[in-house]
Amino acid sequence: MQQVFERAPLHATTLELIWQWFHRIVAVYCLLFGVLYWVRLVGIYEGANWRFDLMPVHWQVVSVTLAVLFPFAASGLWMLASWGFVIWFICAVIETTMYAGFPDLYGWRIEVIVSHALVAVIYATFRLVFYIRSRKQED
């Protein structure tokens, strides 16, 4: 005899829907950054030293690394996988280190640093709210 187990319908709360949209927005942002690094690597970008064979070594290393990691982070974020934000965090640390730590080599791009910081603060806020909500549900 076969038993049929019925599941209660899963309804996401407004907070969970916003969390999912947040992941997807950051995924698009990561995909855009990844495409921009690929554009530079293949030489479509107009400008001095913006083709792989003409780049200084320090730009070659970070460009290749970020061209691979950003789309990978985007796919993880879009699928709502936990590793998506881990890969994004690695990319954010690399870019923040580039632009804040070595502005003489990479230039100073405050908008990139601020955008990464903003995403990190929003992510931490979401995690804190989810933690507080789970603690209240346990009581």
Side-chain angles (χ1 to χ4, degrees):
M1 184 174 197
Q2 185 179 19
Q3 287 183 324
V4 177
F5 295 98
E6 291 187 31
R7 287 185 166 181
L10 298 175
H11 298 289
T13 64
T14 304
L15 181 64
E16 290 166 340
L17 289 174
I18 295 169
W19 171 249
Q20 292 172 3
W21 275 103
F22 172 66
H23 272 75
R24 301 263 162 80
I25 290 167
V26 176
V28 170
Y29 157 86
C30 285
L31 188 59
L32 174 67
F33 270 51
V35 167
L36 290 174
Y37 277 104
W38 276 106
V39 163
R40 291 174 178 174
L41 288 176
V42 297
I44 298 172
Y45 184 81
E46 291 292 324
N49 298 329
W50 286 112
R51 197 175 74 206
F52 184 77
D53 59 333
L54 300 176
M55 288 180 186
V57 175
H58 59 275
W59 266 109
Q60 288 177 347
V61 171
V62 296
S63 293
V64 169
T65 303
L66 293 173
V68 171
L69 287 179
F70 266 124
F72 188 57
S75 65
L77 289 164
W78 191 265
M79 294 185 301
L80 306 175
S82 60
W83 52 266
F85 254 97
V86 173
I87 303 300
W88 168 83
F89 182 77
I90 293 168
C91 294
V93 167
I94 291 171
E95 280 201 322
T96 301
T97 303
M98 284 168 51
Y99 296 125
F102 301 100
D104 53 323
L105 293 176
Y106 299 102
W108 177 252
R109 298 205 37 208
I110 189 69
E111 64 278 359
V112 173
I113 297 166
V114 169
S115 67
H116 287 315
L118 183 63
V119 169
V121 166
I122 293 170
Y123 179 80
T125 303
F126 268 115
R127 296 305 296 174
L128 180 63
V129 169
F130 281 126
Y131 175 75
I132 291 169
R133 193 175 77 168
S134 70
R135 296 286 292 178
K136 285 184 180 179
Q137 287 176 353
E138 288 178 4
D139 292 337

